[in-house]
Amino acid sequence: MRHLENYSYIKLFNEIEVLSKGKDGIRFKGLTLSKIYDGNNACVLKDCLDAIKVHGNNCSLTIFPSEEDVERIKSQFPSVDLRQLTNGHDLIHGLICRLTILKGCCPKVGYNEIERIFRYSCGFDTFKTTVLYQQVDLWAKAHDTLVWAA
């Protein structure tokens, strides 16, 4: 998660400064994390921004963060919990990059296996203590919807 911190802060900037204001957001879908994360060294902010800007139609966006913009978001959340900042899907892709470096080739475990390991490592009682659970639960109650049926 620490290696993906700059990438995660760019996504947070997108949520706070772009999407929440009704603007067209940065396109991350289809961006291969291995273009900005080598599995061994933390993502460099400038390299992240450069790779994201040339992805999709991002170069034509009216709002795209500079390094200073991302640093400002970082300063607004100086002691953020990386488990709250890092997107789970990004973490899994980052782990695959890391395992590839450690093994020297593509690992036999992939996205689905790593995701399954994470899902099984967190029981429902533990999940109930998370912000995600609380937000989904509030939404479900506000919409008179049952989401926790097993």
Side-chain angles (χ1 to χ4, degrees):
M1 286 185 268
R2 180 78 50 212
H3 279 192
L4 301 177
E5 188 173 7
N6 283 321
Y7 182 67
S8 298
Y9 272 110
I10 294 168
K11 285 187 154 187
L12 181 61
F13 173 91
N14 191 50
E15 288 292 326
I16 293 172
E17 298 294 334
V18 183
L19 296 174
S20 71
K21 297 177 180 175
K23 305 287 184 188
D24 288 337
I26 298 169
R27 179 178 172 84
F28 291 97
K29 185 176 182 180
L31 177 67
T32 306
L33 191 60
S34 61
K35 290 183 186 261
I36 57 174
Y37 179 52
D38 66 8
N40 202 34
N41 301 293
C43 294
V44 175
L45 181 55
K46 182 184 181 329
D47 296 343
C48 283
L49 288 169
D50 291 346
I52 294 167
K53 189 158 193 168
V54 299
H55 176 71
N57 201 27
N58 290 334
C59 61
S60 66
L61 293 173
T62 55
I63 301 175
F64 192 86
S66 65
E67 288 181 63
E68 294 78 19
D69 292 328
V70 178
E71 292 298 337
R72 184 175 39 77
I73 289 291
K74 283 180 165 184
S75 68
Q76 289 176 4
F77 302 94
S79 58
V80 69
D81 181 346
L82 289 176
R83 293 171 295 180
Q84 295 292 327
L85 177 66
T86 310
N87 177 293
H89 301 291
D90 296 335
L91 176 60
I92 293 171
H93 286 292
L95 284 170
I96 291 170
C97 292
R98 181 74 177 143
L99 288 171
T100 301
I101 288 297
L102 293 174
K103 187 170 167 68
C105 62
C106 241
K108 291 188 181 190
V109 295
Y111 185 92
N112 292 335
E113 291 82 9
I114 294 172
E115 179 184 41
R116 194 172 305 117
I117 290 167
F118 279 128
R119 287 186 190 278
Y120 290 139
S121 68
C122 176
F124 193 63
D125 288 336
T126 302
F127 178 58
K128 286 190 212 175
T129 67
T130 66
V131 172
L132 176 60
Y133 173 87
Q134 294 165 10
Q135 290 174 340
V136 171
D137 197 51
L138 284 172
W139 178 91
K141 288 175 183 170
H143 291 86
D144 197 29
T145 304
L146 180 65
V147 295
W148 307 122

